[in-house]
């Protein structure tokens, strides 16, 4: 089959690879009809390179049709239309019973000390072949699937594997009080959906980014926006001016480790990327690689006693944190990979024909798999209006 494979920093290719096969009775093989590129894939494209192996198949936003099942996949049948959560979870362990699916005890990557295995996401998360391919092997398929109705176009359900539940969890974890205000830092696909969900729930929403078309896109849906390009140095003051001098109840960080700003951490990250692989991985793991610009903004902006919800991915282990401010301001900090299936029942009713979240025209690009290398470049550089890219194998 054809698949998008990783070969080095800023080097992804589309290649011929062996077809996946059923290996366990709990496996299924799914033929991809839509498989998106995620902002998290950009971390593999550059900063997390030390945890990748040339030839790894990337991608973790799958949807398609079940082609083949093992003998123990429960109610999952050949021909079913499904979205596949980006994490593999068994559905019956202690963590899954607590709906903490990203901590599944059956798929946890114990040799790395990390949580549930993820599709196409580095040695840290099990080095499982990813979804930007014609076919995907789905382990723990008896639970790792979301059955979809026939009829509506792929666009309707294409974001259930990751970014829509991720944005939902970001808003839940933000614990915005009724009628309260939330600032969303980063208006990529995750931040954009977080704005839409927060608006839907009736909160006041202020979005921050530095990419003009991303600001315009959420502004068109009624979100107040602040351009970081104009307010890089006084963002906190501008937001406080908009919120009675106090700051918002909640801040969602939908940026993560590649934040614009903080040149010092950027230098460390770059140095680690240039080192030989066997040295770079421990340095990235131990020395902390994150650019913390967005997180520092969140800590500055949020009101005293407010909540910061992190959905942007961080990967460092020695990130300097302003503990005095966090403690003094009595800030609640909540974070983590999204427990996808935890939120699906709440989201599904909104994926209706009247499309309140605007999923039907959320994608800016729908491209053949073969065009993935150029799509990665354009999405990373945030040019040509690239916001959400679907690949069509
Ligand atoms: N927790 C999860 O389960 C989960 C799931 C999916 C994605 N993510 C993470 O969420 C983050 C966003 O994903 P995305 O697909 O929207 O990515 P993206 O890269 O398209 O979006 C990030 C946006 O942040 C903006 N930005 C950069 N620095 C900023 C700053 N200092 N202040 C405000 N905005 C800034 C960028 O211009 C960009 O528009 C990524 O870190 C991704 O890895 C997490
Ligand atoms: Zn993702
Ligand atoms: Zn489990």
């Amino acid at each position: 089959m054809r698949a998008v494979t990783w070969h080095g920093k800023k080097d992804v290719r589309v290649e011929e690879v062996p077809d996946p096969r059923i290996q366990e009775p709990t496996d299924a093989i799914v033929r991809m009809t839509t498989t998106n590129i995620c902002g998290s894939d950009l971390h593999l494209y550059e900063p997390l390179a030390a945890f990748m192996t040339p030839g790894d198949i990337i991608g973790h936003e799958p949807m398609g049709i079940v082609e083949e099942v093992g003998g123990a996949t429960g109610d999952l049948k050949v021909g079913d239309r499904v979205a596949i959560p980006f994490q593999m979870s068994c559905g019956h362990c202690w963590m899954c019973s607590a709906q903490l699916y990203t901590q599944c005890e059956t798929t946890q990557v114990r040799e790395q000390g990390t949580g549930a295995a993820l599709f196409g996401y580095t040695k840290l998360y099990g080095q499982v072949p990813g979804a930007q391919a014609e076919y995907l092997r789905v382990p723990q398929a008896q639970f790792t699937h979301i059955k979809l109705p026939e009829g509506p176009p792929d666009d309707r359900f294409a974001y259930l594997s990751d970014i829509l539940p991720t944005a939902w969890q970001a808003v839940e974890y933000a614990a915005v009080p009724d009628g309260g205000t939330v600032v969303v830092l980063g208006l990529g696909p995750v931040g954009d959906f977080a704005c839409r969900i927060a608006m839907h729930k009736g909160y006041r929403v202020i979005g921050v980014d530095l990419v003009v078309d991303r600001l315009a896109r959420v502004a068109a849906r009624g979100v107040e926006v602040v351009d970081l390009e104009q307010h890089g140095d006084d963002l906190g003051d501008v937001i406080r001016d908009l919120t009675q001098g106090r700051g918002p109840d909640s801040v969602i960080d939908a940026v993560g480790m590649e934040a614009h700003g903080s040149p010092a951490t950027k230098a460390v990250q770059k140095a680690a990327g240039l080192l030989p692989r066997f040295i770079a991985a421990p340095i990235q793991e131990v020395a902390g690689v994150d650019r913390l610009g967005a997180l520092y903004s969140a800590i500055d902006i949020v009101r005293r006693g407010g909540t910061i919800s992190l959905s942007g991915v961080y990967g460092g282990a020695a990130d300097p944190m302003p503990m005095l401010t966090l403690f003094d301001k009595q800030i609640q900090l909540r974070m983590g990979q999204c427990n996808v299936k935890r939120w699906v029942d709440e989201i599904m009713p909104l994926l209706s024909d009247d499309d309140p979240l605007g999923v039907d025209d959320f994608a800016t690009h729908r491209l053949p798999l073969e065009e993935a290398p150029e799509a990665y470049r354009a999405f990373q550089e945030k040019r040509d209006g690239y916001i959400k890219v679907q690949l069509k194998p």
Side-chain angles (χ1 to χ4, degrees):
M1 67 168 182
R2 305 290 288 168
V4 180
T5 54
W6 183 96
H7 285 274
K9 287 178 73 170
K10 296 194 183 189
D11 181 4
V12 304
R13 304 176 194 167
V14 183
E15 295 185 308
E16 203 70 25
V17 301
D19 288 351
R21 307 234 173 277
I22 299 278
Q23 295 172 20
E24 303 286 340
T26 46
D27 286 355
I29 303 294
V30 179
R31 176 172 56 82
M32 297 290 96
T33 54
T34 297
T35 181
N36 314 316
I37 302 179
C38 177
S40 298
D41 294 326
L42 296 178
H43 309 324
L44 311 180
Y45 196 57
E46 235 187 330
L48 293 184
F51 301 105
M52 298 293 289
T53 306
D56 282 351
I57 303 173
I58 49 185
H60 60 261
E61 298 196 4
M63 89 172 268
I65 306 292
V66 178
E67 282 276 316
E68 205 184 333
V69 290
T73 58
D75 70 344
L76 191 66
K77 302 278 180 308
V78 171
D80 282 346
R81 185 188 198 199
V82 288
I84 304 295
F86 69 88
Q87 69 244 200
M88 283 146 258
S89 49
C90 72
H92 55 70
C93 71
W94 192 92
M95 288 290 173
C96 285
S97 307
Q99 296 190 300
L100 290 164
Y101 304 121
T102 63
Q103 315 301 332
C104 172
E105 289 172 340
T106 305
T107 73
Q108 270 180 19
V109 185
R110 291 193 167 76
E111 58 274 26
Q112 300 285 347
T114 50
L118 309 180
F119 289 102
Y121 217 73
T122 77
K123 290 195 259 300
L124 287 175
Y125 290 103
Q127 204 171 23
V128 182
Q132 287 162 14
E134 289 179 286
Y135 297 93
L136 177 70
R137 170 181 166 245
V138 180
Q140 300 297 327
Q142 77 287 353
F143 188 74
T144 305
H145 70 264
I146 300 161
K147 277 207 198 197
L148 305 172
E150 300 298 330
D154 271 19
D155 282 274
R156 190 71 58 84
F157 309 113
Y159 312 110
L160 277 175
S161 53
D162 182 347
I163 58 169
L164 197 44
T166 293
W168 196 276
Q169 178 169 299
V171 175
E172 285 288 330
Y173 282 11
V176 192
D178 281 347
T181 301
V182 57
V183 167
V184 179
L185 299 175
L187 302 173
V190 172
D192 188 331
F193 266 139
C195 287
R196 295 178 191 213
I197 292 162
M199 294 284 283
H200 178 78
K201 290 181 179 252
Y203 307 134
R204 179 179 176 205
V205 186
I206 303 171
V208 180
D209 204 301
L210 53 151
V211 180
V212 174
D213 42 341
R214 295 181 178 207
L215 288 161
R217 187 160 122 131
V218 301
R221 297 186 70 95
V223 173
E224 296 166 63
V225 294
V226 177
D227 186 346
L228 192 69
E229 207 67 272
Q230 285 157 26
H231 296 289
D233 297 325
D234 62 349
L235 182 66
D237 293 332
V238 170
I239 301 279
R240 277 184 287 276
D241 283 348
L242 292 168
T243 49
Q244 296 158 312
R246 195 176 294 126
D249 304 293
S250 311
V251 178
I252 291 171
D253 171 351
V255 181
M257 66 171 88
E258 290 178 76
H260 182 85
S262 23
T265 37
K266 184 173 181 180
V268 175
Q269 198 176 51
K270 204 163 173 200
L274 292 173
L275 289 170
R277 306 174 54 75
F278 61 97
I279 306 181
I283 285 196
Q284 278 194 297
E285 224 166 355
V286 181
V289 293
D290 299 320
R291 277 149 55 180
L292 294 168
L295 179 54
Y296 289 163
S297 293
I299 294 167
D300 175 37
I301 290 167
V302 73
R303 71 157 160 81
R304 289 177 178 275
T307 303
I308 298 175
S309 164
L310 303 183
S311 49
V313 169
Y314 288 94
D319 293 331
M321 289 290 278
M323 288 309 297
L324 190 154
T325 308
L326 278 167
F327 189 81
D328 176 62
K329 286 183 75 176
Q330 206 166 347
I331 291 170
Q332 319 291 310
L333 201 50
R334 305 181 71 190
M335 66 189 88
Q337 305 274 14
C338 172
N339 303 300
V340 171
K341 288 188 74 171
R342 166 73 180 82
W343 311 111
V344 167
D345 290 348
E346 289 170 56
I347 295 170
M348 226 30 149
L350 299 177
L351 302 181
S352 49
D353 282 343
D354 55 339
D355 194 15
L357 298 178
V359 292
D360 284 354
D361 55 7
F362 191 82
T364 53
H365 294 78
R366 295 173 187 78
L367 304 169
L369 197 69
E370 300 297 324
E371 287 178 36
E374 171 53 18
Y376 268 85
R377 274 192 289 277
F379 180 45
Q380 193 204 31
E381 291 164 16
K382 301 173 180 53
R383 63 172 150 87
D384 307 333
Y386 270 74
I387 298 177
K388 192 64 184 175
V389 186
Q390 296 180 355
L391 298 173
K392 301 284 188 181

